[in-house]
Structures are given as C-alpha cells and as structure tokens.
Amino acid sequence: MTTANPNLSFQMDAKGDEYFQTAIFGDPSVAQGTAPRTRTEKLDLVIGSGGKGQSYLFWKDHELFQLPVGYSTVLHKWINGPGYVDGTAKFDRAIIPRCLECHATYFESELPGPNFNLYNRKNFVLGISCERCHGPGRAHTANYGKRAGGAAATPAIVNPAKLSAARKSDICTQCHGGQGEREILPAFSYVPGQPLEKYIDLGATDSAADVDVHGKQGKLLAKSKCFQASPDMTCSTCHNVHKPEPDLAAMSQHCLSCHQAVSTPVHLHGGDSITSNCVDCHMPTLESKVVSLDVDGKKVKPRFRTHWIRIYSEAERQ
C-alpha cells in the first residue's frame, strides 16, 4: 500500500497460516546501496466483523498494540487505520481494556487500571460470545449435565427475555452506548441483568445534545420520540440478536406494526418506499463527526446508521 509519503509504503504478506504487516521506509524507486529500513509485525489478532472493515493487533510481550494499516470492506482496499495519519507508520497505539470490551468477550488484565494494555496472553476470548448477553456460563453447563443425568437444577445464566425493558437495553448498551465519561468498575466486569450505571457512567441523555452516530446507538435511540413513548421498546423490538439482519423492507415492518402509513405530500414522492423502506428515511446513514480515515491523501468520514428515529430533510440524508 502506498501512502502520501513517497518514502513510506506498507506490504502485507502471508507465510503459511500467519500474516504480517511491514512498513518500508525509503523510496523503492531510487537505487540505493543498502536495503530500505523496514519494520515487520505479525497480525496476531483481528478486530471487527468485516461489515465495514477490520483492524489488526499485535503482541509485544504481554502488551497489545494496533497496527497502522487496516482493511475497508466498504472501499475494498487496504487503508490507514481509523485515526492514523496517512504517510506515517506508528506502532505504539496501545489497546486498552475499554476498547477491547466492545470487540471481544473477555481479556484478563495483568495490571489493574483503565489505561494499561498489559494482558494475560493465555486468557482471552475473541468475538462476542453468548456470555456477553447471558452472563458466565460455567455453572449453567454444570447444571445442564445434572439435568441430563436426571437431577433437578436451576438455570444459572441470564435469560434477557425475562428482564425488564431497562435491563434488556443495558445488555446492548454495554457495547453500543459509547466509551462513557467515567469508568466505575473495571472493563469486562459488567454482568447482564445488573444496572449498567453501576459499572460505567455514560452521561445523561440530553435531547438537545449532539450525539455522534458511531458507537452510541443507545443514546440515539433514547432521543427518539417513539422510544420515549413506548415503555416496553428495547433494541430487541427490532433486532433479532441471534440471526443476521434481514433486508430493510423486513426491518421496516417493525415500524409499520406501530405506525400507520399515511400518504403525506412527502410520502407521495416516495412511492412504494412508504411501506418498504421506512429505515433509510427515518434512520439514515450519516457521517461520523469523530471517526475519520486518511485514504489516498483525503479525509474520509465513514457513515453509520443513526438510531435517532425522526424526520430527516433531504439535505440531512446526503
């Protein structure tokens, strides 16, 4: 991958089942008596589902850092990682527990504190597993074995369907509520079913506040009139967390279960979309104000679907 700096490029290589990222310092088009200076690090961990892209992490002993180059599945190309400046090669961005908490099930910190990136390399769980929503499962599996043998046992995991609307929403908000203003308990200590405010202070929900579309779906939903008027509405009202999301027409049926399609002058221009695509009009994808990418020397602001459900003008949706 070339950069805005003619003396810096990156190369990604596969060696067997291992992958590496190399920064090459020096203009490769200029004949030199010595080989260019390089730095190579292994792609030890992958963060991101690939829906928009992936970021790559590497271990340095027990410290975890982010590699400077990621991959955009939207642009179908290698790009500078979010927040990295094009034309630079920095390998010192520490990955702290709160960052990992929204992208993994568990990491054991070897040094207490929210700003340290020191972990037990033998005790972590990648991806988002059942335990992030249902709580620790060791006792549940032990009880399951007892039931299989005929002994009575009480389920030892949380069933979100039996929780109040507020506690259901907390489960999703632990990742989709933003980084928060103040950490109360250490990362990965939240237990589903408990009030999230005992774990992290996400700040007050202010209907007049400007909330960014990146990672703050919970706050955006809370600003929506339909959410405020529906005591039982939660994230799972529209999302089936156990299945891939259906198309927008299927998602729009959730809107029509409460709202009547009325042919207003605006809707007349929409034609069939009045009943087949409520989402793109009332929950459009908007540019993030806090996330930016340096791509080919230009600042690119990725778009995320807002969860502030309201009427948007044509200009706002651009």
Side-chain angles (χ1 to χ4, degrees), residues 129-137 156-161 171 191-192 241-242:
S129 75
C130 308
E131 292 187 327
R132 289 306 301 271
C133 299
H134 294 278
I157 59 172
V158 175
N159 182 353
I171 292 175
V191 177
V241 298
H242 293 125

